[in-house]
Amino acid sequence: MAQQPLSDKAREAEGLSQAEGIAMALAVGWLIAVGLFFWILPPEQPEGAPFDSLRFILMLIAIFMPVGLIWVAAVAARSARIMREESFRVQAAIDGMRQTYLAQAQKAHAEPAVEKHLEAIAQSAKNTETAVSRFASRREVSRIIVPRAAPQTPSDQPALALGTSQEELAPPLESVDLIRALNFPDDEHDMDGFAALRRSLQDRPTRKLVQAAQDVLTLLSQDGIYMDDLRPEPVSAEIWRRFAHGERGRSMDTLGAVRDRAALSLAAGRMREDTIFRDAVHHFLRHFDQLLITFEAEATDTDLLELAETRTARAFMLLGRATGTFD
């Protein structure tokens, strides 16, 4: 079925097109009209008069020039149609080459990125598990030191085992750790980055945002979009504060500081076609908004500007513009 349009165009190119048929009809009609005109109109030149060559030439021009103009127009229309079809074929070939290149690039970049991402998650989970086990050991020691109450008789009412969660016992997350965690470790040697990420995972809102950011960054890397390649325009701390206070619309357009057309086009196209990607993006944007509200209340202008430089904030700028959040 895909070859049928091409064969139709080939047959049309070999035969007469619609424009050429119209040109032939006009030419024949014109010749018939001129023939009837000269057949009906009596000759003005008397018999025996010398032959007037100038008049004869003018008659030929008057008869055949319109026919020539008609066919010139028909040939021009045919040439334009052929050029238009060739341009469509060239565009289709370019699109096919582009899709092939993108597929190869995705395959080349996605596998190392996914492996690196999994290694980072495994290392982070291992570090967190170690910290939790140490914390649990300290709790066991303290429980041994604290004098135990006298045992209750069976008739006594049993006490409720209401423990304190690890999140409640963890110290408040400092802004420097939050910013460093949202930027993610640069490599396996970034010990400060891993330490900040480990501390951030003990804070529930930050942990949700970090996990959501990891998901969207991994999905974006499948399309060859990496936050380190983006160069967002500077955004003032006042714009971030106004956005955190709930202001939306055109006034927040500068917050979508990532204007890379290729990245925006790929992200917007995947938003329309990939349901999993669309859900992950909305989940990430929602958690970023929630954390920004609490962070802005105590953050300085310098903190907000440093937050804007993180990989998570760049993903927010890119996906916010792709989804029309700043329109």
Side-chain angles (χ1 to χ4, degrees):
M1 296 298 293
Q3 298 297 327
Q4 187 63 28
L6 295 178
S7 61
D8 293 342
K9 290 182 179 179
R11 288 195 298 269
E12 182 180 350
E14 293 177 358
L16 291 178
S17 64
Q18 183 179 4
E20 293 168 347
I22 295 175
M24 178 173 291
L26 290 176
V28 172
W30 170 256
L31 292 176
I32 293 175
V34 171
L36 291 175
F37 175 78
F38 284 105
W39 182 65
I40 296 175
L41 184 68
E44 297 180 356
Q45 185 176 3
E47 296 181 0
F51 177 73
D52 191 350
S53 59
L54 178 61
R55 182 183 181 188
F56 179 74
I57 293 174
L58 292 176
M59 289 175 59
L60 291 178
I61 292 174
I63 294 173
F64 294 105
M65 179 175 285
V67 176
L69 293 176
I70 291 173
W71 280 103
V72 167
V75 172
R78 182 186 182 92
S79 300
R81 177 174 56 82
I82 294 174
M83 293 179 63
R84 185 167 60 251
E85 293 174 355
E86 290 297 328
S87 66
F88 288 157
R89 294 191 185 98
V90 172
Q91 184 63 39
I94 292 174
D95 292 340
M97 293 173 63
R98 179 176 178 272
Q99 293 296 332
T100 303
Y101 172 77
L102 289 177
Q104 294 176 352
Q106 291 174 9
K107 184 177 180 180
H109 292 287
E111 294 180 358
V114 171
E115 292 178 358
K116 185 177 179 180
H117 175 66
L118 293 175
E119 291 176 359
I121 292 176
Q123 183 65 30
S124 176
K126 182 178 180 181
N127 295 335
T128 303
E129 183 179 355
T130 303
V132 172
S133 61
R134 292 177 181 175
F135 177 75
S137 300
R138 290 195 296 269
R139 289 190 62 186
E140 291 296 333
V141 172
S142 63
R143 289 172 60 181
I144 294 174
I145 295 175
V146 175
R148 299 179 62 181
Q152 296 178 346
T153 61
S155 61
D156 295 335
Q157 181 179 1
L160 297 176
L162 298 178
T164 304
S165 65
Q166 179 184 352
E167 296 176 355
E168 295 174 351
L169 293 177
L173 186 64
E174 297 182 0
S175 60
V176 62
D177 288 335
L178 173 62
I179 294 171
R180 189 170 292 168
L182 294 182
N183 194 47
F184 294 100
D186 294 327
D187 51 40
E188 63 274 11
H189 303 295
D190 187 2
M191 295 295 100
D192 293 338
F194 279 109
L197 184 61
R198 185 167 57 252
R199 287 190 291 270
S200 69
L201 293 177
Q202 298 178 5
D203 182 71
R204 182 180 178 84
T206 307
R207 182 174 67 249
K208 289 184 177 181
L209 176 58
V210 168
Q211 293 172 348
Q214 287 178 335
D215 292 339
V216 296
L217 291 180
T218 301
L219 292 172
L220 288 172
S221 69
Q222 295 175 0
D223 288 332
I225 303 174
Y226 300 94
M227 299 302 102
D228 293 341
D229 298 336
L230 303 179
R231 295 293 180 267
E233 300 174 356
V235 180
S236 65
E238 178 62 23
I239 296 296
W240 284 102
R241 294 190 187 279
R242 288 163 55 188
F243 185 83
H245 292 164
E247 185 173 343
R248 298 293 186 272
R250 288 287 183 179
S251 60
M252 294 291 102
D253 181 71
T254 56
L255 199 59
V258 175
R259 301 181 183 273
D260 189 301
R261 293 185 178 180
L264 289 170
S265 177
L266 289 172
R270 194 166 181 182
M271 283 288 295
R272 293 190 299 267
E273 300 172 0
D274 191 340
T275 304
I276 297 177
F277 179 78
R278 182 168 59 249
D279 293 341
V281 168
H282 289 309
H283 181 72
F284 164 70
L285 295 177
R286 182 171 62 255
H287 283 295
F288 190 93
D289 288 345
Q290 294 172 355
L291 188 134
L292 180 63
I293 294 173
T294 58
F295 178 76
E296 182 273 336
E298 300 180 358
T300 64
D301 289 351
T302 302
D303 293 337
L304 289 173
L305 295 179
E306 290 179 354
L307 175 68
E309 293 296 328
T310 63
R311 295 182 176 94
T312 300
R314 292 186 182 186
F316 172 75
M317 297 176 187
L318 170 68
L319 298 174
R321 179 167 292 280
T323 56
T325 302
F326 310 121
D327 294 340

